[in-house]
Amino acid sequence: MPRARFLSVGESAISVELGQSIDEEVNARVHLLAARVRRSLVDEVQEVVPTYRSLLLVFDPLRVPRARLVARVERLVAALPAHAAGRRGRLVHVPVSYGGEFGPDLAFVAEHHRLGEDEVVSLHSSIDYRVYMLGFTPGFPYLGGMSPRIAAPRLDQPRPRIPAGTVGIAGEQTGIYPVESPGGWRLIGRTPLRLFDPTSRMPFLLSAGDRLRFRPVGAAEFGALEQRVAQGTYSPEIEDADGA
């Protein structure tokens, strides 16, 4: 097991690197360490941000000496198991209308791999994805596990505006744009769900460590769900985490 690296991130944060690659086991160790930091160092760490392979810890350097915090986190890292499968997070079902105005790049992805559009949809929606991390914009989920058979290059020129809820592919990653923003991913569909709602008590639909499953829906069902979401009468289908 590689030794953890501690890197300074300005005066008030440290990054704890647990690996050098995008790997489910490395990510599981990151989330396990995050849980232990939140439980053991609640009075010393202000914010805990898990990423693919590292953990960012934000603290107040006027109150918590950096060396003391690093020493305590080092002990937590040393106590991590060599192989961490990690608890399976919640499974969030995400309805998606693929292609057409919602997914203008679906045809490109299909042609790029000499597949039918229905085959691309089937491959994209037939597995459970792991939410490795959130980033880029509030609540943007970076999802791992997509079939390399539908991997696609980014756009040469990013689009200036992508609607909230749009599902995209970049390389072997897939994700969902939670808010309208620029972006260079290949767009294959859209969900009516709100991944980020700043007015809600729980503003983020997804959390790092969750699982996600896409469910293809037609345009009519998309419209009906979109209306219910706008009215606040629709609750996403979410299965509890293992052991919850």
Side-chain angles (χ1 to χ4, degrees), residues 30 33-35 37-38 41 45-50 55-58:
V30 168
L33 178 61
V37 167
R38 291 188 182 104
L41 303 177
V45 176
Q46 297 173 325
E47 188 174 4
V48 179
V49 184
L55 189 67
L56 181 71
L57 305 177
V58 180

Side-chain angles (χ1 to χ4, degrees), residues 4 20 51 58 60 76 122 127 140 150 157 192 195:
Q20 297 298 317
T51 74
V58 180
D60 181 355
L76 293 178
S122 178
I127 61 175
F140 186 103
I150 54 173
Q157 183 68 37
L195 274 69

Side-chain angles (χ1 to χ4, degrees), residues 154-176:
R154 296 171 183 262
L155 294 171
D156 293 332
Q157 183 68 37
R159 292 180 171 93
R161 296 176 63 183
I162 295 175
T166 300
V167 179
I169 290 175
E172 293 189 12
Q173 296 182 111
T174 187
I176 309 170

Side-chain angles (χ1 to χ4, degrees), residues 38-122:
R38 291 188 182 104
R39 184 171 60 248
S40 304
L41 303 177
V42 65
D43 295 326
E44 297 168 82
V45 176
Q46 297 173 325
E47 188 174 4
V48 179
V49 184
T51 74
Y52 277 116
R53 58 184 183 84
S54 65
L55 189 67
L56 181 71
L57 305 177
V58 180
F59 66 100
D60 181 355
L62 298 179
R63 191 171 62 86
V64 180
R66 178 185 301 269
R68 187 181 75 187
L69 178 60
V70 168
R72 292 183 176 180
V73 176
E74 282 180 331
R75 288 195 289 271
L76 293 178
V77 172
L80 292 175
H83 302 285
R87 184 168 66 94
R88 288 162 64 87
R90 303 177 309 158
L91 177 59
V92 181
H93 295 261
V94 176
V96 174
S97 183
Y98 287 91
E101 62 174 305
F102 297 145
D105 296 323
L106 179 62
F108 169 86
V109 175
E111 183 178 351
H112 185 68
H113 290 283
R114 298 183 180 179
L115 297 171
E117 292 184 17
D118 288 346
E119 292 177 282
V120 174
V121 172
S122 178

Side-chain angles (χ1 to χ4, degrees), residues 1-55:
M1 182 174 62
R3 183 182 178 87
R5 295 179 64 210
F6 287 77
L7 305 175
S8 294
V9 183
E11 295 295 324
S12 59
I14 58 174
S15 176
V16 186
E17 292 189 347
L18 298 182
Q20 297 298 317
S21 61
I22 299 175
D23 177 86
E24 186 169 350
E25 187 170 291
V26 171
N27 191 246
R29 296 182 75 239
V30 168
H31 288 293
L32 181 57
L33 178 61
R36 294 184 179 184
V37 167
R38 291 188 182 104
R39 184 171 60 248
S40 304
L41 303 177
V42 65
D43 295 326
E44 297 168 82
V45 176
Q46 297 173 325
E47 188 174 4
V48 179
V49 184
T51 74
Y52 277 116
R53 58 184 183 84
S54 65
L55 189 67

